[in-house]
Amino acid sequence: SLYEASEVTFGDVKRERLASDLTWVPVESTTGYWEIAIEDITINGVPQQICERCRAVVDTGASQLTVPTSTMELLEPFLGSSMDCGNFHSLPTLGFLIKGKTFNLAPRDYAQILGHDRCELSLSALDFSTSKGPIMLLGIPFLQKFYTVFDP
């Protein structure tokens, strides 16, 4: 969050920082990315059945969450446009189903009120792919919410 400092720890897991048990997820490729399988995307806890063999890169260098354009088109009816802040308080909880567990992001985690009645989603369409097809990027909004361990 904006009010809590982030940190990087090498060679250890700080269990006192965990809000729950770790969910260990295997890396799905040898492309050099921390690529994982995503089973589905949920809206307010309900799986939307819009992911079939979805993959995501957990990316410390990405400032946003990104999904392929085709996935964003399926999410737009739920997200609408928050650019004028008109629907900010009615935005849904956005979840990523990973290894049977849903990792939920509240609207405050993926959208920001910038002031002067202006909002911005930290979620956008980006058609990024590897040889296995399109992938999502789970960037800073995801990493700030969930304790993440990179263990090769």
Side-chain angles (χ1 to χ4, degrees):
S1 78
L2 295 174
Y3 308 105
E4 186 174 337
S6 296
E7 66 184 9
V8 175
T9 303
F10 295 97
D12 195 14
V13 172
K14 291 190 173 180
R15 302 245 176 236
E16 67 274 10
R17 302 285 280 159
L18 299 177
S20 63
D21 291 333
L22 286 172
T23 300
W24 294 99
V25 180
V27 173
E28 292 288 319
S29 83
T30 58
T31 61
Y33 298 113
W34 295 97
E35 188 176 319
I36 62 172
I38 302 284
E39 296 161 26
D40 205 354
I41 294 175
T42 65
I43 299 292
N44 293 328
V46 179
Q48 297 302 302
Q49 300 178 346
I50 60 175
C51 268
E52 188 173 315
R53 294 188 207 129
C54 287
R55 295 173 354 271
V57 170
V58 181
D59 188 354
T60 59
S63 62
Q64 293 191 345
L65 305 167
T66 68
V67 296
T69 300
S70 59
T71 303
M72 191 66 176
E73 289 169 354
L74 295 170
L75 292 174
E76 282 176 352
F78 302 103
L79 300 174
S81 172
S82 68
M83 296 305 290
D84 64 358
C85 295
N87 73 337
F88 183 84
H89 297 291
S90 64
L91 287 171
T93 298
L94 178 66
F96 297 91
L97 186 60
I98 303 169
K99 208 172 175 191
K101 181 177 178 179
T102 302
F103 293 82
N104 284 317
L105 297 174
R108 69 180 176 277
D109 299 320
Y110 69 88
Q112 295 177 328
I113 296 177
L114 301 174
H116 304 291
D117 294 326
R118 193 167 154 257
C119 295
E120 182 174 277
L121 290 178
S122 292
L123 171 68
S124 63
L126 177 67
D127 292 316
F128 176 69
S129 64
T130 65
S131 60
K132 292 183 180 181
I135 57 177
M136 301 176 204
L137 294 179
L138 299 179
I140 298 301
F142 187 86
L143 293 167
Q144 284 181 329
K145 174 83 178 202
F146 301 105
Y147 192 99
T148 307
V149 176
F150 295 94
D151 185 11

